[in-house]
Amino acid sequence: MTTSLQEELRNLPPQKLEVEGISKTFRTKRNRSVVRALEDVTVRVNEGEYVCLVGRSGCGKTTLLNLIAGLDRPDSGRILVEGTPIKGPGRDRMVMFQETALFPWLDVTGNVLYGLKLKPNLTPKDRREVARFYIEMVGLDEFEHASIHELSGGMQQRVALARALAPNPRILLMDEPFGALDALTREQLYGDIQEIWLKRRKTIVFVTHNVREAVCLGDRVLLFAPNPGHLVGEFKIDLPRPRDINSVELAEYSSTITRALKGYDPKEEVAE
Amino acid sequence: MKRVVSSIVFFASIVLVWYGLVRLGIWSSVLLPSPVSVGEYLYHETIDGVLPGAMWVTFRRLMVGYFIGLALGLPLGFLSAFFRVFQDTVGLIALGFQTLPSVCWIPLALLWFGQTESAMLFVVIMGSLGSVIIATETGVKNLPPIYVRAARTMGSKGIHTLLTVVLPASLPYLVSGMKQGWAFAWRSLMAAEIYVTILTGFGLGQLLHYGRELHAMEQVIGVMLVIVLLGLLVDKVLFSPWERSLHRRWGKAQ
């Protein structure tokens, strides 16, 4: 094993993420009306912290994730990683999308290699080793050369996780990655992702509309409300890890948060 | 196996009915030659080298014209998918070309180029260009934007994204566009060869044309059979396996 490969496989320390006074509006395609997706949102995520964003659809949580990823630009405000403002996408922040966004024309290894190939100072052999390392980490070593569509939804998300981890990011952004999976597969993945996170500590921003999922995974749960999308509250989750999604304590937390979330919903919007 | 048998039985019975009709003698053999004389024509002309020669001439013209059509059509399709200006100009022309039957290019080609190879090439290119542009444009436009976004987060941009994401992601559409372009090129060339009777090379279309001039019905039917077989062959050998392997990888049922 070469030294550069060893170096590459060492987990880079997670970094601090600051979102300062972000606002974002966009126009709908249908009638060009203005949607205030986010208004004056400020969020601080510490090094290695696992933060979950929860809210009903349309509260701007995915918009915020895209802004942090650098895929879109905010109208005002700024986003800092370890004190440096971001300029577009970067390998320090990798994204896991809801629809996996895996490339069907590549096999499992090809998908994991995609980001690695764009990383300089690695030999092709090292890249293969790195890809194998992460594919093994997510438990897919027997499926290295499988086509994407041959895999189940849960396995596809594992590939997406391996692909996101492979370039060794400091921050991991996850946009409802388990939304389309069945309950059993999801519960299995909750366990796996906690285990992996304990081994390879990243700063994680995790978007979901499932409160229980947020409580199971997050150190902190941030609540968002729509029109305009803004932060309305936060809960610290003081439960030991690994957490069991079916435990009583967890259920208590999530019922408290669900109640709070309902309380933030202005009446007129429910009527809409 | 069952499918092969049913095909064979079907075609054998067609030939049998054909043969029976000829034996009944309702129509003159000038109008309806027997399958035996068509077979004899095909056999002799193959031995003489006339048919293989004509096939080669046709195939060469087709290949040259088709590849020029692809070389122009693919980039234009991409441009028209990416830029509104191209969509409203080139895309519109392409759509118009697609509705114009390729035989309609022949008078213009003859006036511009005379009885030459260039005239024929021109008709083939114009015949296939439109469908290649449209198919490419459709393919690129239907690309799920999430692929490009995912690639961008991993550090891909510009030409790299185009080559490693947009191109492979739209490949299934490109292949069906290429297949359609091929079909149009093939039709255009046959029309051109029948109308442009030049002496620089005798293609299948010209054989067909002279079959009519000489009232040689067995030649007309024989050459038609060859044209059908060639078309089937290209589809089965070239495009179908390619499409199948793409769909297998993409996981889409055809």
Side-chain angles (χ1 to χ4, degrees):
Chain A
M1 199 184 269
T2 58
T3 43
S4 73
L5 178 58
Q6 276 173 330
E7 200 107 319
E8 183 59 37
L9 291 180
R10 228 181 33 220
N11 190 37
L12 289 175
Q15 289 182 328
K16 187 171 56 185
L17 174 72
E18 288 158 293
V19 175
E20 288 182 351
I22 288 287
S23 296
K24 176 79 182 169
T25 58
F26 53 84
R27 286 177 181 279
T28 57
K29 274 204 170 130
R30 203 146 42 95
N31 52 9
R32 313 298 297 165
S33 63
V34 176
V35 176
R36 288 189 294 163
L38 290 169
E39 198 161 83
D40 196 24
V41 171
T42 297
V43 175
R44 250 185 87 97
V45 185
N46 291 321
E47 298 90 341
E49 196 184 12
Y50 199 136
V51 166
C52 296
L53 313 183
V54 183
R56 58 170 53 205
S57 45
C59 69
K61 49 195 196 307
T62 294
T63 308
L64 180 58
L65 208 71
N66 285 334
L67 291 171
I68 298 171
L71 289 169
D72 293 318
R73 287 181 179 282
D75 297 338
S76 60
R78 51 184 201 156
I79 294 165
L80 307 161
V81 172
E82 208 64 33
T84 313
I86 62 158
K87 303 184 213 69
R91 253 188 297 276
D92 53 340
R93 287 155 283 134
M94 294 300 291
V95 189
M96 255 178 97
F97 298 93
Q98 183 175 9
E99 319 96 289
T100 75
L102 294 171
F103 300 145
W105 57 93
L106 299 172
D107 61 7
V108 169
T109 303
N111 269 281
V112 178
L113 271 175
Y114 187 89
L116 287 168
K117 282 187 180 159
L118 287 156
K119 214 174 169 179
N121 307 326
L122 278 172
T123 66
K125 202 171 153 287
D126 285 348
R127 292 195 174 104
R128 297 214 151 261
E129 286 297 321
V130 174
R132 193 165 303 139
F133 174 79
Y134 286 102
I135 291 170
E136 225 167 90
M137 184 182 289
V138 298
L140 288 177
D141 19 343
E142 279 169 47
F143 298 92
E144 276 179 308
H145 300 296
S147 291
I148 296 307
H149 81 273
E150 290 171 342
L151 305 177
S152 68
M155 286 158 97
Q156 290 186 10
Q157 278 302 2
R158 284 167 193 273
V159 179
L161 178 62
R163 181 172 80 168
L165 289 174
N168 212 346
R170 314 290 193 124
I171 296 170
L172 198 55
L173 306 169
M174 303 167 90
D175 186 8
E176 288 188 46
F178 308 138
L181 302 176
D182 64 86
L184 276 175
T185 309
R186 239 185 289 153
E187 285 185 23
Q188 166 79 38
L189 281 169
Y190 295 151
D192 294 350
I193 200 142
Q194 291 186 71
E195 200 182 300
I196 289 170
W197 180 66
L198 289 173
K199 269 192 293 196
R200 315 260 322 162
R201 192 56 87 111
K202 309 281 177 198
T203 305
I204 297 187
V205 182
F206 187 100
V207 164
T208 177
H209 54 246
N210 184 334
V211 174
R212 210 175 242 258
E213 180 172 287
V215 175
C216 179
L217 297 174
D219 292 325
R220 249 188 321 147
V221 177
L222 306 184
L223 307 187
F224 278 74
N227 285 336
H230 63 295
L231 188 61
V232 287
E234 73 169 82
F235 286 82
K236 214 167 157 47
I237 312 297
D238 275 320
L239 291 174
R241 290 176 191 274
R243 297 173 187 160
D244 175 9
I245 186 115
N246 295 314
S247 75
V248 181
E249 299 93 320
L250 207 146
E252 278 169 10
Y253 261 109
S254 62
S255 69
T256 314
I257 293 174
T258 307
R259 254 199 316 279
L261 207 52
K262 279 181 183 155
Y264 294 124
D265 256 336
K267 289 281 183 297
E268 63 268 23
E269 273 153 33
V270 179
E272 233 171 54
Chain B
M1 195 57 211
K2 206 176 152 197
R3 292 172 59 196
V4 176
V5 170
S6 54
S7 287
I8 289 174
V9 169
F10 175 72
F11 288 108
S13 31
I14 286 186
V15 174
L16 226 62
V17 169
W18 176 9
Y19 188 70
L21 286 172
V22 172
R23 286 302 293 268
L24 283 174
I26 310 168
W27 298 284
S28 139
S29 67
V30 177
L31 294 181
L32 187 69
S34 94
V36 178
S37 62
V38 172
E40 272 171 0
Y41 165 79
L42 288 175
Y43 176 73
H44 287 304
E45 298 303 283
T46 307
I47 298 291
D48 282 356
V50 173
L51 265 180
M55 277 156 76
W56 169 243
V57 167
T58 296
F59 204 66
R60 205 187 49 215
R61 287 174 182 153
L62 194 61
M63 278 310 190
V64 174
Y66 176 59
F67 279 110
I68 295 176
L70 281 186
L72 292 172
L74 290 174
L76 285 176
F78 273 102
L79 285 174
S80 138
F82 287 133
F83 304 106
R84 188 60 64 81
V85 188
F86 279 90
Q87 190 195 332
D88 295 338
T89 52
V90 176
L92 210 60
I93 292 180
L95 204 63
F97 277 11
Q98 218 189 5
T99 62
L100 185 72
S102 43
V103 204
C104 302
W105 284 105
I106 293 171
L108 186 140
L110 281 174
L111 288 173
W112 274 4
F113 301 101
Q115 307 266 18
T116 60
E117 288 285 334
S118 316
M120 235 159 332
L121 217 54
F122 179 76
V123 174
V124 174
I125 294 168
M126 292 327 257
S128 58
L129 192 58
S131 57
V132 174
I133 293 178
I134 300 286
T136 310
E137 185 193 333
T138 315
V140 176
K141 272 210 186 135
N142 284 328
L143 210 74
I146 190 94
Y147 290 148
V148 172
R149 289 170 80 83
R152 281 179 61 205
T153 64
M154 289 184 276
S156 169
K157 54 184 143 189
I159 198 88
H160 183 270
T161 311
L162 188 74
L163 292 178
T164 62
V165 178
V166 177
L167 202 63
S170 48
L171 202 57
Y173 286 95
L174 298 191
V175 171
S176 45
M178 284 165 76
K179 188 175 164 180
Q180 211 182 51
W182 171 267
F184 276 101
W186 185 228
R187 281 160 179 67
S188 317
L189 181 60
M190 284 307 110
E193 284 191 342
I194 287 172
Y195 283 97
V196 186
T197 52
I198 56 173
L199 299 171
T200 48
F202 243 55
L204 288 170
Q206 275 115 5
L207 277 187
L208 201 57
H209 173 75
Y210 284 109
R212 181 189 71 107
E213 299 263 286
L214 302 168
H215 283 277
M217 199 53 164
E218 70 277 0
Q219 179 171 340
V220 169
I221 293 179
V223 173
M224 281 173 73
L225 279 176
V226 170
I227 291 172
V228 169
L229 283 176
L230 274 183
L232 272 179
L233 199 70
V234 169
D235 188 274
K236 292 277 178 212
V237 173
L238 215 67
F239 287 108
S240 293
W242 199 10
E243 281 185 311
R244 252 204 310 282
S245 84
L246 278 178
H247 284 116
R248 208 169 22 240
R249 168 127 277 194
W250 260 247
K252 284 180 208 150
Q254 169 77 306

